[in-house]
């Protein structure tokens, strides 16, 4: 059996932390991070708001990301080994790919590939607080959060909801343990019910 678990949602919501814990806890699992598919900086457009448009789907090479996920689907064992993950090649063993990113479900092909879809949300105030405490290679210019990051998040969340993608919403204000336990238990239950 092959499962693709999507961990999507708001920037700085805890997606990567949750993904890392799931990766350690789920045997025979690999990960694909959407951040690894950003286009080069010189290909990122500047919007009407004057900011580089990092928070839009066109900033990401989604074709390449989808193809990477399809490569995993074709041969999870080969994919895992090429990514330094040692998995057994027992036929019938469950293989799991975790796909993590802030715009997973705004691409129909990517959304359709996910067998389980989770979406982390936090309020704007908490998001701004967490984002301001992180060190980015290119620091946020003043006004970026209010003028671009949060409005883009709301726009993309609405687009996702309007396209009727079914997701399980996760409250990013819960503790890391609560979030992990909720998702891990749901996945374990689904795996047991499908085997």
């Amino acid at each position: 059996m092959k499962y693709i678990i999507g961990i999507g949602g708001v920037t700085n919501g805890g997606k990567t932390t949750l993904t890392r814990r799931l990766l350690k806890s789920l045997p025979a699992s690999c990960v694909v991070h959407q951040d690894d598919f950003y286009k080069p900086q010189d290909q990122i457009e500047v919007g009407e708001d004057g900011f580089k448009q990092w928070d839009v789907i066109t900033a990401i090479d989604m074709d390449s990301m989808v193809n990477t996920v399809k490569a995993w689907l074709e041969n999870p064992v080969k994919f895992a080994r090429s990514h330094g993950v040692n998995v057994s090649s027992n036929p019938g063993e469950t293989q799991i790919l975790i796909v993590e990113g802030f715009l997973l479900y705004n691409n129909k092909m990517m959304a359709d590939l996910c067998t389980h879809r989770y979406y982390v949300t936090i309020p704007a105030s908490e998001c701004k607080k967490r984002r301001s405490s992180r060190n980015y290679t290119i620091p946020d210019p003043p006004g970026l959060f209010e003028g671009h990051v949060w409005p883009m998040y709301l726009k993309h969340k609405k687009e996702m909801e309007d396209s009727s993608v079914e997701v399980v919403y996760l409250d990013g204000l819960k503790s890391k343990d609560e979030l992990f336990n909720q998702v891990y238990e749901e996945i374990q239950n689904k795996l047991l019910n499908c085997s």
Side-chain angles (χ1 to χ4, degrees):
M1 295 294 289
K2 299 173 191 169
Y3 296 96
I4 300 176
I5 300 163
I7 307 289
V10 66
T11 179
N12 300 101
K15 300 180 302 297
T16 305
T17 304
L18 175 58
T19 297
R20 283 189 192 125
R21 287 193 64 183
L22 290 171
L23 203 56
K24 285 180 184 169
S25 304
L26 296 168
S29 62
C30 287
V31 67
V32 171
H33 296 282
Q34 192 171 40
D35 284 357
D36 294 340
F37 295 89
Y38 268 112
K39 293 176 182 173
Q41 187 170 340
D42 62 353
Q43 292 180 26
I44 305 298
E45 296 175 21
V46 175
E48 292 175 14
D49 55 15
F51 296 116
K52 281 236 181 207
Q53 304 292 294
W54 292 103
D55 294 277
V56 296
I57 198 97
T58 53
I60 300 162
D61 185 347
M62 287 305 296
D63 290 341
S64 181
M65 185 176 185
V66 167
N67 288 336
T68 300
V69 172
K70 286 181 176 176
W72 177 86
L73 272 171
E74 284 174 27
N75 193 333
V77 173
K78 181 180 175 188
F79 183 94
R81 289 184 179 151
S82 73
H83 287 78
V85 178
N86 199 6
V87 295
S88 73
S89 52
N90 296 342
E93 183 181 40
T94 300
Q95 302 290 335
I96 298 170
L97 179 68
I98 303 169
V99 184
E100 180 263 328
F102 72 109
L103 286 175
L104 291 183
Y105 312 126
N106 294 76
N107 176 286
K108 181 164 175 30
M109 283 193 292
M110 188 73 250
D112 289 348
L113 286 169
C114 295
T115 52
H116 303 71
R117 294 180 211 90
Y118 293 94
Y119 192 89
V120 183
T121 62
I122 53 175
S125 57
E126 178 67 15
C127 187
K128 183 177 181 179
K129 186 174 101 183
R130 290 182 188 184
R131 192 169 171 105
S132 63
S133 69
R134 295 243 322 244
N135 289 323
Y136 287 100
T137 311
I138 302 164
D140 285 352
L144 180 71
F145 183 82
E146 296 84 357
H148 178 69
V149 173
W150 192 254
M152 284 292 112
Y153 162 68
L154 294 176
K155 175 181 180 272
H156 292 120
K157 183 173 181 274
K158 183 177 183 328
E159 283 174 6
M160 176 193 77
E161 290 168 344
D162 289 349
S163 68
S164 302
V165 175
E166 287 186 33
V167 299
V168 174
Y169 287 96
L170 300 173
D171 179 356
L173 292 178
K174 286 183 176 178
S175 75
K176 291 173 185 174
D177 287 340
E178 284 178 297
L179 273 181
F180 168 76
N181 289 335
Q182 177 186 345
V183 174
Y184 183 74
E185 285 171 21
E186 282 182 23
I187 291 168
Q188 291 291 31
N189 287 337
K190 286 177 183 175
L191 296 182
L192 286 173
N193 290 333
C194 293
S195 55

